[in-house]
Each structure stands twice: as C-alpha cells, then as structure tokens.
Amino acid sequence: MDKLPTYSESPPVDLPRLARWRLKHRMASIALTLCFISVASLLLSLSQLAFLGKQSVQLPLHAEQILQKCYMLHAKPGPPSNFHQRTESDRFVQGTHATLIRNASIWTGDQEITQGDILLDKGIIKFVGHASPSIFNKFKDLVTLDAGGSWVTPGIVDLHSHLGVDSAPYLSGASDTNSLKGPVLPWLRSLDGLNTHDDAYRLSISGGVTTANVLPGSANAIGGQAFVIKLRPTAERSPSSMLLEPPYTLNGTYVDPTLPPRWRQMKHACGENPSRVYGNTRMDTFWAFRQAYDTARQIKEQQDAYCTRALAGEWEDLGEFPDNLQWEALVDVLRGRVKVHTHCYETVDLDDFVRLTNEFQFPIAAFHHAHETYLVPGTLKQAYGQTPAAALFATNARYKREAYRGSEFAPRILAENGIDVVMKSDHPVLNSRFLLYEAQQAYLYGLPANLALASVTSTPARIMGQDHRIGFVREGYDADLVVWDSHPLALGTTPQQVWIDGIPQLSEPAVASKPVSFQQVPRAPNFDLEAAAAIKYEGLPPLMPKKAKDLVVFANVSSIYVPDGVGGVMSVADIGERGVVALRKGVVQCWGAAACASEFASQDVEWIDLEGGSIAPGLISYGSPLGLDEIQGESSTHDGTVFDPLTGSIPSILAGSELIKASDGLQFAGRDTLLAYRAGVTAGVTAPSSGGLIAGLSTAFSTGAAHKLEDGAVIQDVAALHVQIGHSKRGPSVSTQIAALRNILLGDKSSATLAEVAKGTIPLVVQVQNADIIASLIELKKEIRTRTGTDIQLTISGAAEAHLLAKELGEAGVGVILTPSRPFPDVWESKRILPGPPLTNESAITTLLAHGVTVGIGTAEQWSARNTRFDIAWAALESFDRISKEQALALASVNLEKLLGVKPSGALGDLVVTRGGTVLDSEAKVVGIISARRGIVDLI
C-alpha cells in the first residue's frame, strides 16, 4: 500500500523555501500545483549545482517526487482550501432529485433557526434560511416537503461503532472486530473486515444515524486503523463505496501531491481488556505501547534525516526513502495526522496514556468509555497538543471494575470543565439506532441542551476531523439530515425522514403522532446535589434513601395510578387539582382535597410539595441478574451459575434435591439495585444464572432493602421456574432440550416444585427468542393439557420473534416478556424482529397486545433496570395511541406479577412518587417510594 504524506510535530527543516511553500499553500489549488512544480524544479536545479566541481552523482529517477514527498511531511490534514466552493458532492448519485424542506425548525449544529427552509441538491446543502421562489424555481423535478414546524438536525454521527465488523446477527463467519495476533497491530484496518450485509445498517439509519466511525475492537493495546463510513447502501455494494474521505493513497491511486492529506483514525485501548486477552498487567500493556511508539519514532527520525539531506541536495548514497508498511500508520500518529481514539476507563490508565502522549509527542482525539474522566479533568488537559474529548455512555456502567465509578453526571461535569463531550454507542454494545437516546439522557442529567445535541452531531464530526462537511446544517455541507417527529431531546423522538448525501432513506416511514408539548425542549430535572455528590465521593456517592417521618403528606399531586384489583392499572379520577395524599407508616390514610389531611395538622408531619407530580405503582425489573451480580466482569461479586444436567454431571450432594432458589444467593444494596430503586423500580424478580437448560426458581425482592432479614426485603421466596432453550454449538440440540423439558413436566415425580409447575400452580418461564422454538413450546403446552388435563402457566421471555405467533400465543394463553423492549437482531434466533416506527407501524408490543397476549417488558443487563420507566413510556409513545398510560404502567408492574407468578400485593404494593410529572415523563424526578409492606416512606 502506498503511504500517506506525513506531518511532523518536530521543527521543520529550516529553509526559506519551506516557509514560502507554507505561504503559497493557502492559495488556490491550481496555484499550489504550479508553485510545487517550480519549487521542485528549483530544488532539483540547486541539487545539481551543489555537485558542480565534484565527482558526478547520479540523481534518483524520481528526485522531484522525493522532494515533494519530503515537503509533504509537514502538511497538516484537512480539506483542500477550495473545498467549500464545490457544487457537487464526491458522493453524489446521478439521478437524485433536488429536495426542498420547508417550514422546518432547524438546529444547525450550533444554533436554532425557527421556521426555515433547506435546499438539497447534488448531495450537498445548497441553501439554509427563508427561501424565495427564485431560489428553487429553476429545478425541474424538485421534491418539496413541508415539515410543518418539525425539527431538522444534522444526521447523527457515531464516533465509536463496530457496525459491519461486529455484525448482526452474530455469526462466526463475520466476526472481525478483534485480531488476537498480538497486543500491537497498527497495520490492521477495520475496512478489510467491513461486512456490507450487516442487518444493523438499516436499523441505525432508521434512528437517524448517517455516519459512523468503524473502530477495531479493544482486545489490543493498538487494535488498528478505523474508517469513517456513510451508512446508506450504494450501487457498488462494496465497503470502499461507503467510505467518507479515506486516505487518498488507500488503494495506491496517484494523487496530486499539493493536496493536504486526509485525517486517519486509529484505535488504542488500555486497562482491563488487553490485560484479560493477553494475560498481561497494565505495566505490560504500557511497555507494549512504549516499544511500539519507540519503533515508530526511530522510523520518523530516519525519514526526517533522509529529507534533510535530500532538501540539501546531498543525493550521494542517499538510497530509498525509509519506510515500513507495518509501522507507517503509527509514524503518521507521531506526525499528528491520525485521530487516536483510546478505549480507557479509569484514572490510572488515563494518567498513563497522557504521559505516553507527552513522552512521544502525539495528540489524542478522544478517550472512549472514559468512565472516570469526570473525576480527573485536569489530567486530560495535560495531554500533548490538545485536550482530548470524552466519548461516553449515558448510564451504562458498573459492568466491570474499571467502569464501577461511572456516573450519569459525567457529561455535565466534563462540559463544566471545558472538555468536549461525545455520546457514542459502541455498537452493538448499545444499538446505535438509539444513539440519540444517549444524548437525551445526558441532557436530563444536566448536560446543556445545545451540547447534548452537539454530542451526537457536530462534536463527533469535529473530533474525527470531518466537521468541514458533516455534523452541521450549513450551505456547502453534505446533505445528511433528519426530520424528527418531536424535539430531538424529547423521549422517543423518531425520524420522519433521513437523508444521506441528499438521498431519502425511509421509503414509507411510519410516523406516530406525538403530543404538541413534545415539540419543545423538555425541562430537565434538577440534579445539582447528586452531581456534586458524585465528585465528592469519587463516583461512589451514598445511594440508600432517607427514611421519612411516620406521617407524610404529599401536596400538589396531579394524578394517582393504582392497581385496579383485576390485573390492570387505573387512574384515580377524584384526586382534584392541587390534591394531597396523606400516609402513616407507608399506608395511605386519605387522598383528595387538602382537607383530607387537616386532621394531621397538629401532628409531626412531613409535608412534601410534588409541584404537579404523581403517584403510581412501583415498577418491577426482570431479565437481568439484578440482585445476584454486582460487577458483571468480576466473578467474586456474582452468585455464580448453576449446574446444568444436560451438559455436565450434578454433584452427588445435590442429587435428588429440590431446584436451586435465587433467594439463597440474593445480594442487597448493590449500586445497580439502589439506582433502580431511586428511579422507581421497587422490586426485582431474578432467576439463578445458568448457561444450560434449567436455571431454577426465581425470587421477588425489594430493591430498597438493606439486607435480606429486613422486613419486606424478600417479597416472595419462590416466583417461577425458569428454563432456557436455544441453539448452541456446545450444548445439546433444541429438540433434545424440549424432550428434556417434556420429561420434566410429564415424568419427573421427585420434585414437589416441578409437580406444582406441571399442575399450573407455579409459572414456567422459558427464555427463548426464536419463533420456531416458541411454536414447539405452544404445542408442548397443548400436549400436556391433552395428557394430564391441566394447563401449565407458560411465559415466553426474550421473545424477539414472538410477534410472528401473536395470534397463536393469544389463543394458547401464553404470556410474553419482551427482553429488551426495543428489539435488536443480535443473534440468528432473533433475526426476524418487528422494529417498530419508523420502519413498521406495529411494534412487537402493540402486535401482541392486539391479540390478547399479556405483555411485560424486561431488561437484559442490570445497569439498565433504572431506565425501566423510560422503556414503558417509549412503548406508549410509539404505539399510535394504542397503549394508554395505564397500560404502559402495567407493562412493568401488574403484568409482570402475573407472568412471573408474583402474588398481587394489593394495598401493600409499593408506590413511586414523582415531582413535576408522572413516572412516564422524562421531566419528572422520582422523589419518594411508598412501601406499605415495609411500613415506610423513603425519600430520594
């Protein structure tokens, strides 16, 4: 592969001609070309004159090109000086019609323009403002869209993605995220593994993502080179046709040497991942970094010495330009031509890497994941050359030790310290279709609105060196735009249309009607005290709630939702305006007008103003090991996994014993558990962890309890029997698994619990994604009824393809827990998802509900339990008004009780208290939990 010209941070060759070249570089491209030809000819002539009177020296055949290359060692990356004079994009597709978007509310990437117009033509934005007919009358086939005041933003830019290299669905034949050939591999390129058949491209586009930086994985200290792509399909259907401004010489094509080089991208990683993969320590990893950069430094110095001689006309015995195909990209890092993206979490690694940048004098574009950057912003500012950005998750943390101190307030704190904030997906770790949701959460926890929107548009574009053409709605920029159905920071906002290079990407978008209020930027709750505590306690602030007085009155309550006693949720209609709710030891004494609390006026009462807030049923979390695991990546913090009788022998001490109970392994007061409690999730239902067929018996527990012996800590010792069935290259066949389940339900007499399951007293919850396996389970349920006369309680969990059997599930009385609630085809068994708006009118939830199926929602990882309230609100928002507020609340409360065998709590059920709105409103803040079962009111 031909190499890019390179740039040096070290002092350039001290020649007047070089200074003149730099001045001329600011002129137009054609003048630059003439200048270089003249300079190169002059140097060549001087080189010849320098050897007059000496023994004749044979000049290299390509002396002029060598001199040009040496000059280009000092050229900075960026667009040509005349880039914004272009009239057509290099990615323009012939036949694409010009498009006029009228009457749009526009966020340009750094400011708002109300009720403006945007003209797209030849792949670029031709006009932004208030268009007069004279501007667009000249277009013959102009497509006009009246946005009706809807918001338009730049296309979403994902700074950290593995689209195409970690493909969906996962198949071993397309797993190209990491090489395991050594900790230092700067010569590898993500482009060489880019799969154009990844199912996620279409899904991500439907979330407004137009550009992604496809990085190698984080198994290696230096994982290789990354490439920026546009997500739209191309006529060529090739990976190369998706690239955005790749290095000019990527495929050996001759390029005018007067053009500045383009930015390159590279992935680095420090901390736990490289250590785990190679059995190293942090000391080993950073020695590998230093060795690699020392090798690159030596090559750079050889090149500089070579060019010093060439520019001085010392051609004798000069030889070939020193280069190395393996190390050329790392040499470019030292010359400041590469955007270095470093996977780095905690303080020790951040400090190590900052020292590395200063030792070898190279800038870093961004620290990724960066969970502790908010604790050490000063360390980031000591990095060489520039302060790196922080590319973050919003609430995804605590999944390994180095992520344990992650905080939802990190974006806000970093911005307050003047550090660029980027929200990223790490797709498919998070589905990049919902990358905007990360920005929404960052905003709700305190990041200013303009910076939150910039964090997924203009800021990542600038960090990757593409802000001259993407990330903004400006004349001359790429025609990558999104029209949204509500304000982009409103929960559940969905594209009405997405353009990439001026080409609309959604053929028949399904657009749900949203409340008028959703067209305004939502009000963010006040989390000043919580943000300050995150810093004070170095990422581990106390999370246990404060106990209220025995008598509590909540004032200015606008609505109350409670279980209706027949399996649903109802709204209390007679609360009235400025209503109150009075409680004694967690038990409601009265509600309604203020007079209902008058009898408590002379007593020691704690009055709390909800400012138009609400009271609703406490939410339930299911699907993750919440309460059994504290740190996913640290086995010493787990309950562990149960033995599987199909894949290994059961220890004799357990032979003939009852099934494993999750209640025996419960861990209380974990951080994810308490964060969920503080977000209105008052109960968890958790099954033992298993890698095989039988998991065991789930338990229901209070997420706010301090320990197991506290009153009300264990809500129900045994809830349901859990099994899981699926395809596996290691385990027995699916048919074998179902045969084993049949034998357990029909023939096993040794367990009283199994007998209860077979009689339908205890639910059977089967974790399964595939519709064909679900069909077999429906038939098994019918077979058991035919042979025994009893009807088992069957619940399907996971259920990515359950919508394909909605009618059959409804007829068979089988319930479904969708885990997660917004589907993704991560494995082959989940390939046939129903994505929902804007790709389909129906979602899996609305389809199942329409056929009478009892539906609940779950979460796959414990960190996301805290977001359950947003998940159910989102389900209602995209339902085309087919899911009411009461039905949405039921999805994560009474429906889960029924599906998981948790006995209804009735008057003893927990309630969640919110200020400034309902638990379904992103503007509302959870301020209390009412627990009659535990006899308390907790204040958050």
Side-chain angles (χ1 to χ4, degrees), residues 106-286:
I106 307 169
W107 191 77
T108 66
D110 53 11
Q111 63 177 326
E112 295 180 6
I113 299 176
T114 57
Q115 295 299 299
D117 308 320
I118 308 170
L119 178 64
L120 315 178
D121 185 38
K122 297 191 181 302
I124 61 177
I125 299 170
K126 290 296 184 72
F127 176 83
V128 181
H130 298 280
S132 63
S134 61
I135 294 176
F136 51 83
N137 280 344
K138 63 181 180 180
F139 293 97
K140 180 180 179 182
D141 297 313
L142 183 68
V143 176
T144 301
L145 170 70
D146 189 340
S150 295
W151 284 93
V152 176
T153 70
I156 301 299
V157 179
D158 194 352
L159 190 67
H160 186 139
S161 177
H162 303 294
L163 270 167
V165 294
D166 195 349
S167 300
Y170 173 81
L171 293 169
S172 59
S175 179
D176 289 290
T177 315
N178 288 294
S179 170
L180 303 181
K181 302 301 182 184
V184 173
L185 304 167
W187 46 87
L188 299 186
R189 308 182 299 182
S190 66
L191 172 64
D192 296 327
L194 192 67
N195 175 19
T196 58
H197 303 299
D198 189 337
D199 285 357
Y201 292 124
R202 172 173 172 263
L203 296 171
S204 295
I205 289 171
S206 76
V209 181
T210 57
T211 305
N213 190 22
V214 180
L215 297 162
S218 54
N220 305 303
I222 302 179
Q225 301 163 47
F227 287 81
V228 180
I229 64 169
K230 294 279 192 86
L231 270 61
R232 69 170 176 85
T234 65
E236 296 91 335
R237 299 188 176 92
S238 68
S240 294
S241 65
M242 300 175 72
L243 296 178
L244 179 65
E245 292 200 356
Y248 285 118
T249 53
L250 178 66
N251 294 314
T253 305
Y254 174 79
V255 178
D256 184 344
T258 63
L259 291 173
R262 288 170 167 173
W263 281 108
R264 305 174 76 176
Q265 319 285 325
M266 186 178 287
K267 176 70 176 291
H268 287 26
C270 48
E272 293 182 29
N273 283 21
S275 294
R276 182 178 66 253
V277 170
Y278 293 101
N280 288 340
T281 65
R282 284 175 166 82
M283 295 182 289
D284 296 310
T285 298
F286 271 89

Side-chain angles (χ1 to χ4, degrees), residues 828-907:
W828 189 261
E829 294 180 333
S830 306
K831 183 175 174 61
R832 296 173 290 181
I833 64 167
L834 188 63
L839 295 177
T840 60
N841 278 283
E842 298 287 345
S843 68
I845 295 176
T846 58
T847 300
L848 291 163
L849 288 174
H851 287 86
V853 178
T854 301
V855 179
I857 68 164
T859 58
E861 297 179 88
Q862 60 262 36
W863 64 264
S864 61
R866 67 184 299 175
N867 295 326
T868 300
R869 57 184 287 231
F870 299 140
D871 293 339
I872 57 177
W874 201 324
L877 287 168
E878 68 175 15
S879 72
F880 293 85
D881 297 324
R882 285 169 289 195
I883 297 177
S884 66
K885 287 185 177 181
E886 291 83 357
Q887 289 172 311
L889 290 167
L891 292 173
S893 58
V894 294
N895 287 10
L896 285 178
E897 286 182 337
K898 177 180 178 180
L899 294 168
L900 295 169
V902 180
K903 295 177 177 60
S905 301

